[in-house]
Each structure stands twice: as structure tokens, then as C-alpha cells.
Amino acid sequence: METTNGILHPPARCSPPRKAAFLPNPPKNAPLLILAIFALLSGAAFAPSASTPADSALPKAGGEAVSLAAPRADSLIRIRFAAGTTSGAYGGTLASGGSQSYILWAGWNQAMIVRADAPGSQTYLEIYNYWTGIRLCSLSSALSSWQGYLPRTGDYIVRLQNNAGGSDTYSLSVKIPARIQFARGAYSKSVWGKGSAAQTISYVLWARAGQTMTASVSSSTGASYLNIYGFSGGQSLVSSSSSQTSWTGALPQSQDYIVEVVQGGTWVDFTLTVTIV
């Protein structure tokens, strides 16, 4: 596997070629029944199916089902983060009642943050695992943002639907922060990264209530600022709008904390150091 900015990229997956089954030729002048049996065993009597049956479905949470083989009303766009980044941004226009689906690969228990912004405020999210149909966010919840931990490794569908009376533009942001883990007995870690103008690189680490966090970011090539908040509680500890490059404070809750490096107006190489005591 390849690692960039502390981010683990899964290798391309492929399946080994199947070995062709060997069957001897049927004897000459064999009875019709024997010839039919040879045809069945060799597969000659069956043509491969052109498509998966449209009524195949996977169970969803709550006993619902998602038909994965049925024709889609929208196209499916693969989300791929650029090397060294932790997010992707997309946008477009949806007609009234229209939808757009995206698909991305992610690992078990990774934190994911999804946000959809639209002027009409009636474009909502649906998120589910492609293989199991397990639903993380449904359209009926009328949510434009979602965050949580992923229940298994695999592909996830992020679908947007416009419920407004007219067409609406949208922007979609998907983040999967890279996890910072200290070595056994250590209480501090530094990670190196780089990013382009106005880009945000996100990290996540767990700490207990009452512990003190110190975070600092330094760069020799441009401006980088900190943005830190609680993943579950949502408490903002420092905002990038304050242009701070270091912060120290007591943590209010035992939870994961998001530590983000927000780039200035140029390409930036940076070093982020986080200490928990």
C-alpha cells in the first residue's frame, strides 16, 4: 500500500483468472442422453446472462431493500481523492426531482464527513453501503450533512436529490480524515504534508476529557492555519479564520478530535505536530 500525508491508499484489486474446466470428448455414436449430459457439464447448453436480474436486491437497515442491479435514473461518479489529500469536492445542477449519485471506497471504522450545499436548501443526502445496502443516511431525514464512522470496508453510495420545485445548483464535499496514532509510550507525533491554495488537509485523533492538547503547524513555503473541533460533540476549539498556527487547551470531552491544516493562497509544504498530555 502507498502512504501519502499519513493517508493509506488501498491497492487496486483484481481477481486471478479462472482455469478452464477440462472434460473429455464424448464417445462417438454415444446415445442422445449421454450427449446431453456432456453438454450440460461443459456449459455448452447455456449462454451467459447478458445482465444481472433487475429484481436482485440487498437488505437495508430497517428491512428495506436497495435494488443495485436495476437501471439507475442518474449516472454514478467515482470519488477519488488526489494523492496526499483527505477530501473531494464536486458540483452540478439538479432538475426538480432530479438526483446524482457518487461512489467512493473507504475502510472500516473510518470517520467520514459529507456536506451538500444548495441555494434552494431542499437538496438532501442518502448514504449507504453499496454491497450490503446498510443505510447511514436516508432521504426521509431531509439532511444536507452527515458524519459518522463507517461500519465496514467497501464502496459507499452518496446520493443527492433535489426536492425543490425548480432546478438547483449544488456543491458536495466528502472528507475522510487521516488518523493520527501515537507510538506506544509516546505522547506526541509529527506528520508532514503538502497542499494547494485554499485546500484543507484533515486529521483525526482520540483523546480523553481533561487532557491537554497542543497543536502547531509550520511551513517554510506559505501560510497554514489550524482548525480544531470535536468530532462527536462539535465543540470548536480553534477556527482557521483566526489565522492561528498553534493552540494549547484542555479537552472538554472524551472523543475523536478533528485537526485540520487550512492552506493559504499558495502551494504549501507543512509539518503538523500534535501533543496530548
Side-chain angles (χ1 to χ4, degrees), residues 143-156:
L143 296 177
S144 58
S145 64
W146 178 89
Q147 67 175 38
Y149 299 98
L150 300 177
R152 63 173 290 164
T153 297
D155 277 323
Y156 286 84

Side-chain angles (χ1 to χ4, degrees), residues 160-174:
L160 297 93
Q161 180 168 303
N162 175 21
N163 292 339
S167 63
D168 204 2
T169 58
Y170 71 89
S171 60
L172 173 69
S173 169
V174 180

Side-chain angles (χ1 to χ4, degrees), residues 28-44:
K28 293 182 178 179
N29 303 321
L32 183 60
L33 178 60
I34 294 178
L35 292 174
I37 292 173
F38 268 84
L40 286 170
L41 292 176
S42 65

Side-chain angles (χ1 to χ4, degrees), residues 4-5 7 83-86 191-196 199-201 203 221 224 261 263 266-271:
T4 314
N5 282 12
I7 304 157
T85 67
T86 57
V191 293
W192 174 87
K194 58 184 178 180
S196 59
Q199 193 173 60
T200 298
I201 308 296
Y203 299 89
T221 57
S224 295
V261 178
Q263 314 293 10
T266 59
W267 181 269
V268 174
D269 294 335
F270 66 85
T271 300

Side-chain angles (χ1 to χ4, degrees), residues 77-83 85 87-90 103-105:
I77 299 174
R78 169 70 65 176
I79 293 176
R80 301 182 189 276
F81 296 169
T85 67
S87 64
Y90 297 83
I103 184 170
L104 78 158
W105 187 97

Side-chain angles (χ1 to χ4, degrees), residues 46 48 64 83 89 92 111 138 184 203 221:
F46 294 98
E64 299 176 89
S138 65
R184 181 180 292 274
Y203 299 89
T221 57

Side-chain angles (χ1 to χ4, degrees), residues 228-241:
I228 306 174
Y229 63 92
F231 184 66
S232 300
Q235 307 94 330
S236 177
L237 304 181
V238 59
S239 172
S240 60
S241 62

Side-chain angles (χ1 to χ4, degrees), residues 12-13 20 30 34 76 81 96 115 124 142 158 166 193 201 226 243 246 258:
R13 292 170 287 179
I34 294 178
L76 194 58
F81 296 169
S96 177
R115 182 179 179 86
Y124 302 132
V158 177
I201 308 296
L226 290 172
S243 301
S246 63
I258 304 296

